[in-house]
Amino acid sequence: MRSRQLSTNPTTSISPLRRIARATAPFVVGALVTLVAFLLLRNTLPDRFATHFGLDGKADGYSSPTTALGQYMLVFAVEAAGIAGAGLSIQPALRTVRVLTVFAWGLAGATTYLFIAVMGSLGGADSAQFPLYHLALAAVVGVAVAAAAWAGSRRQS
């Protein structure tokens, strides 16, 4: 009954803890999906893992696969911390929290896509390529995930 009361008034306040939980959940999901993809692909990953690419798509930064996974998790943590800070500083109205949460889902979706695309596109360490069209695809994935989050949040209200 409580959620029904919240949904009838989009200006209803949401507690800070609930705002943070809603806004950071997408990054937890993204980190878990990335971890599962890493575990599924780990036997196919080279010992020298490409973690940074130049504008030509050629690898110019390397780590071990385990270090790369740690870097990926750190990116999700930094994104979550930034969104959590925004969640604490915004108005506690349901509508405002919904917009922040939808943005967080889009960002986490795009980030997850990029990390999985990097893992999936790696050949040998010296021949690692990451075509730039993946950046556009990440944006498309982010928008699609955000749209799905928006549609889902509208159904709940």
Side-chain angles (χ1 to χ4, degrees):
M1 188 61 147
R2 173 105 173 113
S3 65
R4 181 63 95 184
Q5 290 171 348
L6 280 177
S7 65
T8 59
N9 184 357
T11 60
T12 301
S13 291
I14 297 176
S15 73
L17 185 58
R18 194 163 177 196
R19 279 183 281 171
I20 299 307
R22 281 186 177 195
T24 57
F27 302 103
V28 173
V29 171
L32 289 174
V33 170
T34 302
L35 176 62
V36 168
F38 177 84
L39 293 174
L40 292 172
L41 295 170
R42 72 175 175 235
N43 293 331
T44 65
L45 298 174
D47 293 336
R48 206 173 115 192
F49 191 94
T51 55
H52 189 269
F53 299 85
L55 290 177
D56 60 357
K58 292 182 182 177
D60 62 4
Y62 300 91
S63 297
S64 72
T66 305
T67 300
L69 179 64
Q71 291 168 347
Y72 293 169
M73 295 303 115
L74 180 61
V75 169
F76 281 117
V78 168
E79 288 177 343
I83 291 293
L88 286 174
S89 67
I90 64 171
Q91 297 176 6
L94 180 60
R95 182 178 309 156
T96 308
V97 173
R98 180 182 294 139
V99 169
L100 180 67
T101 302
V102 166
F103 173 79
W105 277 109
L107 179 59
T111 302
T112 302
Y113 171 84
L114 284 174
F115 291 157
I116 293 172
V118 166
M119 286 187 278
S121 68
L122 294 178
D126 296 327
S127 63
Q129 289 281 331
F130 190 71
L132 291 181
Y133 68 80
H134 282 296
L135 296 177
L137 287 175
V140 169
V141 167
V143 168
V145 170
W150 180 258
S153 71
R154 300 291 288 181
R155 284 193 197 111
Q156 292 174 359
S157 57

